[in-house]
Amino acid sequence: MKTRDKILLASLALFNEEGEGNVTTVDIANELDISPGNLYYHFHGKEQIIRELYAGFEVELVDILEAPLEKSLDAQDAWFYLYIVFEQIFKHRYLYYNLNDILQRYPDIDRHFGKLLDLKRRAANAVADELIRAGVLSLSERQLLHLCDNVVLTLTYWLNYTGLRNDHASNELSIHRGVFQLMSLVAPYLTDDFRYFYDECCALFDVLSSGD
């Protein structure tokens, strides 16, 4: 693996574990056992590292979010799709834990993130539309509008909420918790034939969180 890629991976791990604001380029160099000068040869400061990490994150998330715009998802596919979205966000949780501060410091990232929010909403709408056509969900256009807004809100600030609660759950459980919170938003709109789906979701989450 090239040194540049090692720097990005180490930075991502440190940002996620310690918080982006608490990590310096010296910390990153020490983690890799290289000199700060060697790191500077590849990246002229932490700002450049953050921009490159975000660019990679955006490419991957856009690809995920565009999937339901291009292909219909049934109820089971939608369930797995949620996990894929939450896993990608959790992989770059440093960004979401410190979202407002990072967006204020990096106007270029702020502009790109605004487009991501729009894409999250379009993806949520596409999945919900398909589930409505399949008879899984029943809700009015106005309810759909509010549901999609709440889905985007949960996806964007779920990690802030867990952080405020000092939630030290495992990575896997944190992702399950995010999916469960989102499913709880959808549950009131499930049709009678599909209410069992939420009951199964609750049962699964109870089992997973029993040791928390």
Side-chain angles (χ1 to χ4, degrees), residues 149-208:
D149 281 339
N150 285 327
V151 166
V152 175
L153 185 64
T154 300
L155 285 172
T156 306
Y157 289 103
W158 139 70
L159 285 170
N160 295 79
Y161 175 69
T162 58
L164 288 170
R165 291 185 61 211
N166 294 316
D167 190 340
H168 301 296
S170 66
N171 294 3
E172 183 180 6
L173 183 56
S174 293
I175 293 169
H176 281 301
R177 182 165 289 148
V179 173
F180 178 73
Q181 289 171 348
L182 201 150
M183 283 298 299
S184 296
L185 295 174
V186 175
Y189 306 108
L190 289 169
T191 58
D192 291 340
D193 289 342
F194 289 91
R195 293 194 186 282
Y196 75 91
F197 199 75
Y198 182 65
D199 293 336
E200 291 180 356
C201 177
C202 291
L204 173 62
F205 183 72
D206 287 343
V207 170
L208 293 170

Side-chain angles (χ1 to χ4, degrees), residues 115-134:
K115 295 177 181 178
L116 267 188
L117 287 179
D118 292 338
L119 187 52
K120 286 178 183 178
R121 198 181 186 293
R122 288 170 56 206
N125 201 100
V127 173
D129 278 342
E130 191 62 33
L131 294 179
I132 290 170
R133 282 192 290 270

Side-chain angles (χ1 to χ4, degrees), residues 96-115:
Y96 284 82
Y97 276 133
N98 199 27
L99 184 59
N100 291 342
D101 181 51
I102 290 177
L103 295 185
Q104 286 178 2
R105 285 187 282 124
Y106 300 92
D108 51 335
I109 293 179
D110 187 19
R111 289 190 293 272
H112 282 265
F113 195 81
K115 295 177 181 178

Side-chain angles (χ1 to χ4, degrees), residues 71-87:
K71 181 181 178 181
S72 299
L73 300 178
D74 60 25
Q76 196 66 37
D77 288 339
W79 169 256
F80 290 119
Y81 177 72
L82 286 178
Y83 275 96
I84 294 171
V85 175
F86 274 96
E87 285 171 356

